[in-house]
Amino acid sequence: MEKNTDSASIYMGRPGFARNLQRANRNPPSSMIRSPTHNLMERMDCNVGDVATFFLRATPSRSLTRPAKRWRTAFTVIYSCRAMLSLAKRSFSGIILQRTSSYTVLDVDAGDVSGDVLLRSRLSLVDPEKLAGVVKEKDLGQLRRLGGVDGVAVSLASGAEEGIGGDAEEVAVRRELFGSNTYTRPPPKGFLWFVWEAFKDPMLAILLVCAVLSLGFGIKEHGVKKGWYDGVSIFVAVFLVVSVSAVSNFRQARRFRELSGEYSNIRIVVVRDGRRQEVSIFDIVVGDVVLLKAGDQVPADGLFLEGHSLHVDESSMTGESDHIAVDARGNPFLISGTKATEGYASMLVTAVGMSTAWGEMMSTVTQESNEPTPLQERLEGLTTTIGKVGTAVAVVVLLALVIRYFTGSTKDENGNREFDKNNTSVDKVVNGLVGIISDAVTIVVVAIPEGLPLAVTLTLAYSMKRMMADKAMVRKLPACETMGSVTTICTDKTGTLTLNQMQVTKAWLGEEEVAGSSGVSQSVLELLHQGVGLNTTAGVYQKPNSAEEPEFSGSPTEKAILSWAVKVMGLNLQHVKKQQDVLHIEPFSSVKKRSGVMFRSRKHRGLGVSVHWKGAAEMILAMCSHCCLADGTGTVEIDRDRRVKLQRIIESMAAGSLRCIAFAYKHLNDDDINVGDEGEVQELQEDGLTLLGVVGLKDPCRPGVRKAVETCTKAGVDVKMITGDNIFTATAIALECGILRPGDDPSDGDAIVEGRTFRGYSLEERMAVVDKIRVMARSSPNDKLLMVQCLKRKTHVVAVTGDGTNDAPALKEADVGLAMGIQGTEVAKESSDIVILDDNFASVVTVLKWGRCVYNNIQKFIQFQLTVNVAALVINFVAAVASGKVPLTTVQMLWVNLIMDTLGALALATEKPTEELLQKSPVGRTAPLITRIMWRNLLAQAAFQISVLLVFHFRGESIFGVGEKVKNTLVFNTFVLCQVFNEFNARSLEKKNVFQGIHRNRLFLGIIAVTLILQVLMVEFLKKFAGTERLGWEHWGVSVGIAFLSWPIGWTVKCIPIAERPHSVVPEKPPSKISDRLRHFFGRRKFVQN
């Protein structure tokens, strides 16, 4: 023992843990159990009292040596552990995993015993499964046997005020013992699954059968050396098509999975080491104290600690639509996955991740959404229609080739008939028929534009990734497309148009403006401190013995008022809370636009209670009959003249873009309290109040918001501001942001309305004025919902921003719901389609631009692909019927299919948005997907390709003096190069300069380069595989020259003016005939369901 004395030290490092030990020691259990530390003291043959006398005695005359100090620290730890372990065993007598051994060895080397070691020892006594079961089963009896919520908190080394420790070591210990707050997700689909999905294409299956037959009969007829060419070539071509498609889909699925994890990463407010801080939902651990408010998602299973009027929506777990009240007595249980709809509270986390009720449910459910987007559905219909046309052409070609074959009209490369009924063997007939079927099936494969759904997937995935960088997180894919059609944006004011950085700039107490606490009587200050300190959801944290500025937490409005009261008016929040007992709190309501509190003084319990209200100034003023005087001389009645004066004070502040918040109070006798049958307070007095004062909060407009509003106006998108502020503040902000212009009349009853006015209109009146409204003040969430419904009735495509729980109906009703990422509640985010991460209206404009870019990119690809489809079908059809041969072989056609489907989609679907997109009118609901401008462009290019290539097919041998194989290779090479050059034309539907900004799109240039390199390989080096012959320089020059003509033709065609047909506002019934469906798909959009 003496040898170890100099190095002996035990360090208990975590302040929060020490504080919890102190709390436990203040109320030690009546009978202490024999803990390991107690046994150790006995084995050391020490008298505890003597040791305590020796180590705890410290006098100025006697200084302790360093070893004595270390032993003193060791004794303190040992003595504290006895109390802690005793209390833990008493509290958790029903859920202790194992008994501790009757003795333990204490090595008193430096650093061997720490707070984390003791914490691990303490928490290891808790059975996580039994603790989690208490909440899952809502077993109130078992909870009481465990000592109630307070007993569980002590056993988990936590508390309502201090929470757990904030150091990483403690969090790691809790995560190790109780698990992490993550859920087991279904394993992602592997690459082979996507390969198998690609092989499910029936046309590819037919091609594989043809490849097998061609390989078998080819080897039988020509031997192994030459007979494998055709069959293996088809195999390789199909393999390339399947591989590229599978790789693309696999990468996009992985990207979507990564993005889905982004929007699941919710920020949660917890208390650690006595201070509020935000952490990821995945970092929540058992023992954490989580602060909940209306609209928050419950992040884990837990128990109600303290709070007021908390109601939760458990419909996601139970299916019940009624909201459940949660309190400390009857129902303290909070289930993960549910949402707080009213009130606020702090909760103690008792289970996380897969140990929660939500985790159990998730383990039995595989979440997989294969729901196609609206544009994908429309393109599926377009694909089906084109596929039917291609199939019809292929059948005609098949019949024509079969008839020509059996009538002897088809000749081989030597000029001999391929079929002679007297000399042709069965093997040759079967081989010839296999070749004919393969050609016909290949026409179908090329005709079906499989690249359309792929293009949608690619452009959506690309847009989602880029929009994340632009502060917008897409939760639902259809929103990307729909944003391109938006005609109206209904936006909030606070935090979206403004910075949401509130600051009190003006304050009136009674009828006097005040700049600080000087000149204000102590009695009025006391009332103000009570009204602010007890009626707030904000908090303040001041480091002990620190001169640093205090930290404020809460909503911007609450933080601003509390900060003003603390810094300017001398509020001591902790002192005020200790002096009063809160009896009832009425949380802030977006309908009433106020919050209230009832409390009783601890010093003067016999003097009744006090009620304080805080909220919208004009509404609070309407509830007041008296007004206090700042000098404390009493109160005065608010007569008509005084009410007008107070109203003008409020209006003048509001006209200066200030949000006006008023405070009022009332003293009551116990007999005046409205109580229920069980003695609980039912409601607070709302009349006969005394006005205490009014504060004005300034929230400056965001930089650039005026320009963003102007951009929307130029883009044909109407911006409407819907706010809860009064009409004066709303008008001032609207003028500052550019929503209202200087020439607009603020008194215009149509441009600027209040929510109650709009609500009071009949349906016909609302429909008549809804287009004219630019500002709606003093609106409720229901008013916003009414606005959205009216706009949609008038065929507008509506985007709505929202941040509150009550905004959820409007966000769901809108075509695109935009939730705010900073101020938005989890309910609002869950109801939205896109989350604006920085709460900035400029980001909404960015989303609008990306939405138009998605739609525009899809149109570009459709134009490009239909050009290839039309040209390939017409060329093969005419050639087959006229000459009995198709100029493009199966392998060549599959290569063309690869170029236009996969590589074309990659090149055109990843174009970045340009400012020109915001200079056009919105697409709206009824504009055709394939416009007349697109038809003009694609028909011109298709006609050019068809005419040139058919001339090459029928006259190429005589024109160039080459054989049939070289001629066919020249047709194939020219056709492919025409598509490559036409890809440049497809970059813009209307703009003549198709090269603008091309140097910034490296992916496009890279795909063009890869396509050209592969084409050279196909022609020059893969002759047997592709069925080609090498071309001379002059032939390459001809191919490039013909393809180059695509550029001047495209430029010339775009000079031809095209008048688009007016958009119909009445959705049409989808036609049934194929001819009508063709006109329907190509001439106007598919039927739109409102």
Side-chain angles (χ1 to χ4, degrees):
M1 291 294 292
E2 293 179 0
K3 181 175 62 176
N4 294 330
T5 300
D6 291 338
S7 61
S9 66
I10 298 176
Y11 174 64
M12 190 111 176
R14 190 174 68 75
F17 185 66
R19 282 191 292 268
N20 288 323
L21 288 179
Q22 292 168 7
R23 284 201 300 267
N25 288 332
R26 291 193 194 105
N27 299 297
S30 56
S31 61
M32 301 292 291
I33 65 171
R34 293 176 61 83
S35 67
T37 51
H38 186 87
N39 292 324
L40 175 64
M41 297 297 295
E42 288 183 347
R43 293 177 64 226
M44 292 171 61
D45 195 24
C46 296
N47 183 278
V48 177
D50 293 339
V51 174
T53 304
F54 177 80
F55 284 116
L56 299 182
R57 183 176 59 203
T59 62
S61 61
R62 179 191 175 198
S63 61
L64 295 177
T65 64
R66 180 177 297 179
K69 288 181 180 179
R70 289 174 176 170
W71 276 108
R72 181 183 181 186
T73 304
F75 176 80
T76 303
V77 172
I78 294 169
Y79 200 84
S80 300
C81 288
R82 292 178 58 192
M84 177 192 72
L85 292 173
S86 174
L87 185 59
K89 284 196 171 187
R90 187 185 66 167
S91 298
F92 266 79
S93 57
I95 53 174
I96 292 178
L97 277 174
Q98 57 187 3
R99 294 178 59 86
T100 57
S101 56
S102 60
Y103 66 90
T104 186
V105 176
L106 178 64
D107 188 354
V108 204
D109 284 341
D112 279 358
V113 181
S114 67
D116 294 321
V117 172
L118 294 173
L119 177 70
R120 181 187 297 274
S121 174
R122 178 178 183 178
L123 294 180
S124 63
L125 300 174
V126 179
D127 185 347
E129 292 185 6
K130 290 185 178 179
L131 179 58
V134 172
V135 178
K136 287 179 193 175
E137 299 168 10
K138 296 188 175 182
D139 191 340
L140 198 58
Q142 178 67 6
L143 178 62
R144 287 172 180 157
R145 286 192 292 272
L146 298 176
V149 178
D150 292 337
V152 174
V154 171
S155 299
L156 293 176
S158 183
E161 295 182 3
E162 300 293 338
I164 66 171
D167 55 280
E169 290 78 8
E170 177 173 344
V171 173
V173 168
R174 292 176 182 272
R175 187 176 291 116
E176 178 185 343
L177 294 176
F178 298 100
S180 62
N181 198 30
T182 56
Y183 302 110
T184 303
R185 304 171 71 182
K189 294 181 174 64
F191 176 72
L192 293 179
W193 186 89
F194 291 96
V195 172
W196 175 248
E197 284 296 305
F199 269 121
K200 287 183 179 180
D201 187 341
M203 297 303 169
L204 290 180
I206 294 174
L207 281 179
L208 288 176
V209 173
C210 292
V212 172
L213 295 175
S214 178
L215 182 64
F217 287 109
I219 292 175
K220 184 176 181 180
E221 182 179 355
H222 302 291
V224 177
K225 284 190 176 181
K226 294 184 178 180
W228 63 271
Y229 293 154
D230 291 341
V232 171
S233 297
I234 297 175
F235 271 122
V236 173
V238 170
F239 173 76
L240 284 175
V241 172
V242 169
S243 298
V244 173
S245 176
V247 168
S248 298
N249 290 330
F250 174 70
R251 291 187 63 189
Q252 301 318 315
R254 185 172 60 184
R255 183 171 296 172
F256 286 140
R257 186 178 178 87
E258 291 171 355
L259 289 174
S260 67
E262 291 287 343
Y263 69 74
S264 299
N265 189 12
I266 303 167
R267 305 298 294 178
I268 303 295
V269 179
V270 299
V271 178
R272 291 181 179 176
D273 269 339
R275 63 183 297 186
R276 299 186 185 187
Q277 52 187 283
E278 277 194 359
V279 299
S280 167
I281 189 174
F282 305 127
D283 293 333
I284 299 292
V285 293
V286 169
D288 258 323
V289 174
V290 177
L291 303 182
L292 298 174
K293 63 180 183 302
D296 284 350
Q297 176 182 321
V298 179
D301 285 0
L303 297 169
F304 179 96
L305 283 172
E306 56 187 30
H308 294 278
S309 306
L310 182 67
H311 287 72
V312 295
D313 177 7
E314 295 187 351
S315 58
S316 59
M317 297 294 296
T318 64
E320 297 291 336
S321 58
D322 293 337
H323 295 168
I324 307 299
V326 179
D327 53 38
R329 293 182 298 175
N331 178 30
F333 306 105
L334 289 159
I335 307 297
S336 62
T338 60
K339 296 179 178 64
T341 59
E342 185 181 339
Y344 60 89
S346 59
M347 65 170 280
L348 174 70
V349 175
T350 57
V352 294
M354 298 305 294
S355 300
T356 64
W358 181 261
E360 282 188 355
M361 186 179 70
M362 293 293 289
S363 65
T364 61
V365 177
T366 301
Q367 287 190 323
E368 180 181 353
S369 176
N370 294 320
E371 182 182 356
T373 69
L375 186 56
Q376 284 176 322
E377 290 179 342
R378 295 171 60 204
L379 292 179
E380 286 290 347
L382 177 61
T383 300
T384 302
T385 303
I386 297 176
K388 289 180 180 179
V389 175
T391 303
V393 172
V395 170
V396 173
V397 169
L398 177 65
L399 293 175
L401 292 179
V402 169
I403 292 172
R404 291 183 65 90
Y405 179 82
F406 284 109
T407 57
S409 300
T410 305
K411 298 181 179 180
D412 58 20
E413 56 188 13
N414 298 321
N416 301 321
R417 292 183 176 183
E418 290 190 359
F419 177 76
D420 186 342
K421 62 181 179 180
N422 297 321
N423 298 323
T424 305
S425 65
V426 175
D427 290 345
K428 286 188 175 182
V429 172
V430 173
N431 205 26
L433 290 177
V434 167
I436 292 172
I437 294 172
S438 179
D439 289 339
V441 170
T442 305
I443 291 175
V444 177
V445 172
V446 175
I448 296 176
E450 301 98 333
L452 287 178
L454 176 62
V456 174
T457 303
L458 287 173
T459 190
L460 289 176
Y462 177 75
S463 300
M464 287 175 68
K465 182 178 180 180
R466 296 306 299 266
M467 287 166 72
M468 278 292 292
D470 289 337
K471 306 298 182 184
M473 182 171 64
V474 179
R475 298 186 67 256
K476 300 175 184 176
L477 285 182
C480 287
E481 309 160 7
T482 312
M483 276 302 295
S485 307
V486 164
T487 60
T488 303
I489 298 176
C490 298
T491 178
D492 285 336
K493 175 188 75 69
T494 304
T496 308
L497 299 174
T498 61
L499 287 171
N500 205 17
Q501 295 175 358
M502 297 285 190
Q503 184 177 3
V504 175
T505 58
K506 281 190 177 184
W508 290 72
L509 291 180
E511 299 176 341
E512 297 180 17
E513 185 173 1
V514 296
S517 58
S518 60
V520 181
S521 72
Q522 189 61 35
S523 60
V524 174
L525 274 179
E526 185 177 349
L527 288 170
L528 180 65
H529 292 169
Q530 294 171 355
V532 174
L534 300 176
N535 188 13
T536 183
T537 57
V540 59
Y541 173 76
Q542 177 73 60
K543 292 183 180 179
N545 303 321
S546 173
E548 296 182 12
E549 288 284 322
E551 298 178 8
F552 297 93
S553 58
S555 68
T557 302
E558 295 283 2
K559 281 197 299 183
I561 296 174
L562 183 59
S563 174
W564 167 76
V566 170
K567 295 180 179 180
V568 180
M569 306 305 292
L571 168 64
N572 185 329
L573 186 60
Q574 296 300 325
H575 176 74
V576 170
K577 288 186 175 181
K578 290 178 180 178
Q579 295 295 318
Q580 318 295 334
D581 285 328
V582 175
L583 304 179
H584 182 71
I585 287 180
E586 186 164 322
F588 177 81
S589 165
S590 58
V591 177
K592 292 184 176 182
K593 300 195 180 300
R594 59 181 178 267
S595 62
V597 62
M598 175 185 290
F599 58 88
R600 187 192 302 275
S601 172
R602 293 181 178 178
K603 288 185 178 180
H604 309 289
R605 292 187 175 275
L607 299 181
V609 299
S610 298
V611 173
H612 277 256
W613 285 97
K614 176 184 68 180
E618 68 272 21
M619 294 186 175
I620 295 295
L621 177 59
M623 299 161 56
C624 295
S625 60
H626 291 76
C627 174
C628 78
L629 300 176
D631 58 8
T633 56
T635 62
V636 293
E637 185 178 356
I638 301 179
D639 54 19
R640 182 175 179 180
D641 293 337
R642 183 168 278 109
R643 188 173 297 277
V644 170
K645 180 181 178 181
L646 292 172
Q647 288 174 344
R648 286 177 179 172
I649 291 173
I650 295 171
E651 290 172 6
S652 65
M653 294 170 67
S657 303
L658 299 183
R659 170 180 285 186
C660 300
I661 305 295
F663 300 89
Y665 69 94
K666 185 175 185 178
H667 296 303
L668 299 174
N669 296 321
D670 290 345
D671 296 337
D672 298 328
I673 303 175
N674 296 319
V675 295
D677 296 336
E678 298 181 1
E680 76 282 2
V681 179
Q682 290 190 324
E683 60 181 15
L684 304 183
Q685 295 282 346
E686 297 184 352
D687 56 349
L689 305 181
T690 299
L691 180 67
L692 182 58
V694 181
V695 294
L697 294 89
K698 180 68 175 178
D699 187 12
C701 286
R702 287 183 179 272
V705 71
R706 187 179 185 90
K707 182 179 179 182
V709 172
E710 290 175 356
T711 301
C712 287
T713 303
K714 291 178 181 177
V717 178
D718 189 24
V719 180
K720 302 180 186 296
M721 186 177 81
I722 304 177
T723 177
D725 285 333
N726 65 42
I727 198 165
F728 302 100
T729 305
T731 301
I733 294 293
L735 285 168
E736 191 174 347
C737 295
I739 295 175
L740 285 175
R741 298 170 185 82
D744 293 333
D745 182 10
S747 62
D748 186 353
D750 292 336
I752 307 170
V753 299
E754 287 191 331
R756 60 184 178 184
T757 304
F758 183 76
R759 197 183 318 135
Y761 288 152
S762 65
L763 178 60
E764 292 76 14
E765 290 172 330
R766 282 198 292 267
M767 295 295 289
V769 302
V770 68
D771 284 329
K772 301 176 184 178
I773 294 175
R774 293 185 181 174
V775 177
M776 183 185 290
R778 281 291 178 240
S779 64
S780 68
N782 286 334
D783 299 329
K784 184 184 290 188
L785 178 61
L786 276 176
M787 170 78 79
V788 174
Q789 291 172 339
C790 291
L791 289 169
K792 290 183 70 176
R793 280 173 175 264
K794 301 200 75 172
T795 70
H796 287 282
V797 180
V798 186
V800 170
T801 68
D803 56 9
T805 303
N806 291 331
D807 288 329
L811 290 170
K812 289 182 178 180
E813 179 70 21
D815 296 284
V816 182
L818 303 165
M820 299 297 105
I822 299 174
Q823 282 300 113
T825 64
E826 291 310 315
V827 173
K829 293 175 186 177
E830 286 292 323
S831 303
S832 69
D833 305 297
I834 298 175
V835 178
I836 305 301
L837 299 178
D838 60 353
D839 291 12
N840 194 344
F841 186 77
S843 298
V844 177
V845 178
T846 302
V847 172
L848 176 68
K849 184 164 64 174
W850 272 108
R852 292 192 177 187
C853 179
V854 168
Y855 194 85
N856 190 249
N857 285 347
I858 299 301
Q859 286 186 314
K860 293 175 185 177
F861 180 72
I862 290 174
Q863 175 183 295
F864 169 72
Q865 183 153 40
L866 288 183
T867 302
V868 184
N869 288 135
V870 172
L873 285 176
V874 172
I875 291 170
N876 278 317
F877 177 76
V878 173
V881 173
S883 65
K885 294 182 178 180
V886 290
L888 302 175
T889 66
T890 300
V891 175
Q892 292 170 357
M893 292 290 280
L894 288 174
W895 168 237
V896 172
N897 187 68
L898 184 66
I899 291 175
M900 70 178 186
D901 271 2
T902 306
L903 297 181
L906 277 170
L908 295 173
T910 54
E911 285 278 354
K912 296 179 181 178
T914 61
E915 293 301 325
E916 288 82 0
L917 292 172
L918 295 178
Q919 296 174 2
K920 302 176 182 178
S921 298
V923 175
R925 291 189 185 275
T926 56
L929 178 61
I930 305 177
T931 64
R932 292 184 176 184
I933 291 175
M934 294 169 62
W935 277 119
R936 176 198 66 187
N937 298 338
L938 73 89
L939 289 178
Q941 293 291 339
F944 163 68
Q945 294 176 20
I946 291 169
S947 58
V948 172
L949 295 178
L950 285 180
V951 169
F952 281 10
H953 178 70
F954 290 109
R955 295 288 183 265
E957 296 179 30
S958 59
I959 292 175
F960 300 105
V962 296
E964 183 179 8
K965 278 197 171 182
V966 175
K967 180 259 296 182
N968 287 339
T969 303
L970 188 60
V971 171
F972 166 63
N973 196 43
T974 305
F975 183 67
V976 171
L977 292 180
C978 281
Q979 312 318 319
V980 173
F981 278 75
N982 191 39
E983 262 184 285
F984 288 86
N985 289 325
R987 291 188 70 240
S988 176
L989 302 179
E990 300 180 60
K991 194 162 52 178
K992 298 182 180 67
N993 182 11
V994 295
F995 303 103
Q996 182 177 350
I998 197 170
H999 62 283
R1000 292 191 294 269
N1001 194 341
R1002 296 180 180 179
L1003 180 61
F1004 181 89
L1005 295 176
I1007 290 173
I1008 294 296
V1010 168
T1011 305
L1012 291 174
I1013 292 171
L1014 292 176
Q1015 179 63 17
V1016 172
L1017 292 175
M1018 289 280 287
V1019 173
E1020 299 295 330
F1021 302 100
L1022 299 176
K1023 298 187 296 180
K1024 293 181 180 180
F1025 168 70
T1028 58
E1029 289 290 329
R1030 285 192 172 183
L1031 297 178
W1033 288 106
E1034 66 278 9
H1035 299 142
W1036 274 101
V1038 169
S1039 296
V1040 173
I1042 295 297
F1044 177 81
L1045 292 177
S1046 298
W1047 288 350
I1049 290 174
W1051 187 91
T1052 305
V1053 167
K1054 288 177 182 177
C1055 294
I1056 302 173
I1058 293 292
E1060 289 288 344
R1061 73 174 66 181
H1063 303 162
S1064 171
V1065 297
V1066 181
E1068 301 177 6
K1069 182 180 179 181
S1072 56
K1073 295 182 180 179
I1074 291 182
S1075 59
D1076 293 336
R1077 291 181 67 188
L1078 278 171
R1079 288 194 296 272
H1080 179 75
F1081 279 118
F1082 296 158
R1084 63 175 65 242
R1085 295 180 89 180
K1086 193 177 176 182
F1087 176 73
V1088 179
Q1089 292 184 347
N1090 287 328

